Amino acid sequence: MGLLDRFEQRVDRTVNGAFAKAFKAEVQPVELAAALQRELDDRAAIVARGRTVVPNMFTVALSSEDFDRLAVYAETLQGELAGLAREYAEDQRYTFLGPVTVHLQLDDSLDTGLFRVTSEAKAAVTSQARNSQLADASLIAAGGEYSLSTGVTGLGRGADADIRIDDPGVSRHHCQLEISDQAVLRDLGSTNGTYVDGVQIAEKVLRDGSVIRLGSTSLTFRSGR
């Protein structure tokens, strides 16, 4: 039994056949599952030998009628679709940069039975807890908000980074942020550069709301003042 067949059976069992009754001429959940597989294949990018990165955040745009029908089961369906994406990626030896999410979205421009899948790769950002005094400042990324300590905070892809960003465009030791009476961001000779508000920098004093871009990952600096 194929992956799509197993997906269809799981969804049908979960909602006691409700999908089979509700979706005769409209969008079928298995169509969405097949579209996610195609999206993964189409967007797969080889970033290193043996490592192919694929998107991990998916948005499924639906017509008004299809969205209304699916809304009752949205939580279940989104979870099952995310699970299918993880299974398919494992089978194909694809790599996700962060947690897999699927979001159903209304698009009034679509006719009944039509849908559109868009996706993006969002790196997982994790923070290593340190025994030092916390500043009021923080960095905000797609995965959450990360408190900054006074002194120097290292950002990069390496396991020893204070804030680790699992993005292939980020160097192991990419940049550092020093917090004292002001916040100063310094590039550490990274391969792809450090950008603040769209401008590449070697060293930059940050203001509240400054947007830092490392690779394909954006982080917003908040001074807390």
Side-chain angles (χ1 to χ4, degrees), residues 23-44:
F23 296 95
K24 292 183 179 177
E26 294 78 18
V27 167
Q28 299 284 342
V30 71
E31 293 179 88
L32 303 181
L36 252 64
Q37 288 187 354
R38 290 194 299 273
E39 185 74 5
L40 286 167
D41 290 335
D42 291 345
R43 298 287 305 278

Side-chain angles (χ1 to χ4, degrees), residues 185-218:
L185 183 68
R186 297 185 182 91
D187 184 78
L188 298 176
S190 63
T191 301
N192 295 314
T194 298
Y195 292 78
V196 175
D197 297 328
V199 178
Q200 187 170 1
I201 60 97
E203 182 174 307
K204 177 74 173 179
V205 175
L206 300 180
R207 59 173 179 78
D208 184 56
S210 290
V211 177
I212 303 164
R213 182 167 60 82
L214 313 178
S216 61
T217 302
S218 294

Side-chain angles (χ1 to χ4, degrees), residues 40-187:
L40 286 167
D41 290 335
D42 291 345
R43 298 287 305 278
I46 299 174
V47 298
R49 186 176 179 181
R51 190 176 193 222
T52 301
V53 171
V54 291
N56 57 303
M57 299 182 71
F58 302 88
T59 299
V60 180
L62 298 160
S63 69
S64 178
E65 182 172 343
D66 288 319
F67 182 83
D68 289 344
R69 289 173 182 267
L70 280 166
V72 180
Y73 316 105
E75 185 175 349
T76 294
L77 184 54
Q78 290 170 163
E80 290 291 347
L81 287 168
L84 174 129
R86 287 190 292 268
E87 288 181 60
Y88 186 69
E90 184 177 354
D91 288 346
Q92 303 300 313
R93 297 185 178 179
Y94 292 154
T95 299
F96 295 116
L97 296 180
V100 180
T101 62
V102 178
H103 175 64
L104 302 182
Q105 178 178 283
L106 172 65
D107 187 336
D108 289 324
S109 69
L110 292 172
D111 294 329
T112 301
L114 298 179
F115 63 91
R116 181 174 57 254
V117 176
T118 55
S119 64
E120 59 182 323
K122 284 282 189 180
V125 179
T126 54
S127 177
Q128 309 270 10
R130 295 185 297 161
N131 295 322
S132 55
Q133 183 180 356
L134 288 178
D136 293 330
S138 63
L139 289 175
I140 300 173
E145 184 170 358
Y146 305 90
S147 297
L148 296 169
S149 300
T150 55
V152 176
T153 298
L155 290 84
R157 189 163 44 86
D160 57 343
D162 298 312
I163 295 181
R164 184 171 183 268
I165 303 170
D166 190 13
D167 182 327
V170 174
S171 299
R172 291 180 57 80
H173 301 102
H174 197 105
C175 62
Q176 65 182 26
L177 179 55
E178 184 174 359
I179 304 288
S180 56
D181 57 336
Q182 59 185 5
V184 180
L185 183 68
R186 297 185 182 91
D187 184 78

